[in-house]
Amino acid sequence: MNEFLRIQRMCTPVWARWYVFSPCVLSSLVLLGAGWSKAISEPTSLLSDLILTAFILVAVAAITRYSGVKAWRRTTLLVGAIRGVATDWGIEWTTANTTSKFEWSKFVKVRQERDLSLVFYAARGLFYFPRSFFTSEHEWHQFNKLVRSRVKKG
């Protein structure tokens, strides 16, 4: 579940991430409330805006977590076990219900982290490969080397 939630976070558009969303919420509340000039002259007038912003952000975080856990449960029930294979031709992704084959030219970008690689075929369509899919460190490094050589890093 934690890997699934992490993949969901990595796919979140920049505008929806907390470090963009939080200042936007606070700015909106200040502008709708006291206004910037009053906020600068009387910083204590921001207290209610800060409290409301904190409440909104906690609520958004809770709702996001709940919806992520719910999506994980639905996905695991629907998809079952997952197996992905990368070859010189492309990637084959197999679940209990489907098999998908994509040649390397269909992939638009790759995001790699220490223990997770995401290979995108669309803006939010991707195949994910956590380190836990691989039996050895050598296999993990070989996979990442192959992906980097076939897909531009985005």
Side-chain angles (χ1 to χ4, degrees), residues 5 24 29 33 44 51 54 63 87 111 148:
L5 295 175
C24 291
L29 290 172
T44 56
I51 291 170
I63 291 167
T87 66
R111 267 188 77 188
R148 279 191 304 273

Side-chain angles (χ1 to χ4, degrees), residues 10 16 23 29 35 42 56 61 63 69 72-73 93 95 112 116 123 126 135 140 142-143:
M10 289 176 69
L29 290 172
E42 297 177 39
I56 290 170
I63 291 167
V69 170
W72 173 75
R73 287 184 182 137
W93 189 258
T95 71
Q112 293 179 315
L116 180 66
L126 60 99
T135 57
W140 171 244
Q142 288 300 105
F143 167 79

Side-chain angles (χ1 to χ4, degrees), residues 95-114:
T95 71
N97 301 319
T98 63
T99 297
S100 300
K101 293 181 181 183
F102 285 74
E103 61 186 67
W104 288 114
S105 65
K106 302 296 183 194
F107 294 103
V108 294
K109 74 176 180 176
V110 61
R111 267 188 77 188
Q112 293 179 315
E113 293 191 353
R114 182 181 50 79

Side-chain angles (χ1 to χ4, degrees), residues 50-69:
L50 289 172
I51 291 170
L52 185 56
T53 300
F55 176 76
I56 290 170
L57 294 177
V58 167
V60 168
I63 291 167
T64 302
R65 171 83 179 172
Y66 171 77
S67 62
V69 170

Side-chain angles (χ1 to χ4, degrees), residues 120-132:
F120 291 81
Y121 55 85
R124 289 191 47 116
L126 60 99
F127 295 122
Y128 57 91
F129 293 89
R131 167 63 184 88
S132 61

Side-chain angles (χ1 to χ4, degrees), residues 1-153:
M1 179 175 73
N2 289 330
E3 282 180 342
F4 180 85
L5 295 175
R6 183 170 166 216
I7 293 164
Q8 294 293 317
R9 280 191 303 274
M10 289 176 69
C11 295
T12 302
V14 172
W15 61 265
R17 296 182 185 167
W18 70 269
Y19 51 83
V20 174
F21 184 72
S22 301
C24 291
V25 170
L26 179 59
S27 299
S28 299
L29 290 172
V30 169
L31 285 174
L32 293 174
W36 283 116
S37 59
K38 186 175 180 187
I40 292 170
S41 64
E42 297 177 39
T44 56
S45 67
L46 286 177
L47 187 58
S48 62
D49 292 334
L50 289 172
I51 291 170
L52 185 56
T53 300
F55 176 76
I56 290 170
L57 294 177
V58 167
V60 168
I63 291 167
T64 302
R65 171 83 179 172
Y66 171 77
S67 62
V69 170
K70 190 175 176 182
W72 173 75
R73 287 184 182 137
R74 280 192 316 247
T75 300
T76 54
L77 287 174
L78 177 67
V79 174
I82 297 170
R83 186 176 70 82
V85 177
T87 66
D88 286 334
W89 180 83
I91 290 179
E92 181 178 324
W93 189 258
T94 306
T95 71
N97 301 319
T98 63
T99 297
S100 300
K101 293 181 181 183
F102 285 74
E103 61 186 67
W104 288 114
S105 65
K106 302 296 183 194
F107 294 103
V108 294
K109 74 176 180 176
V110 61
R111 267 188 77 188
Q112 293 179 315
E113 293 191 353
R114 182 181 50 79
D115 60 347
L116 180 66
S117 289
L118 305 179
V119 186
F120 291 81
Y121 55 85
R124 289 191 47 116
L126 60 99
F127 295 122
Y128 57 91
F129 293 89
R131 167 63 184 88
S132 61
F133 275 17
F134 299 86
T135 57
S136 72
E137 198 67 28
H138 177 72
E139 284 182 8
W140 171 244
H141 289 295
Q142 288 300 105
F143 167 79
N144 284 308
K145 183 179 176 183
L146 176 63
V147 170
R148 279 191 304 273
S149 71
R150 300 297 182 138
V151 183
K152 67 179 181 179
K153 193 169 185 172

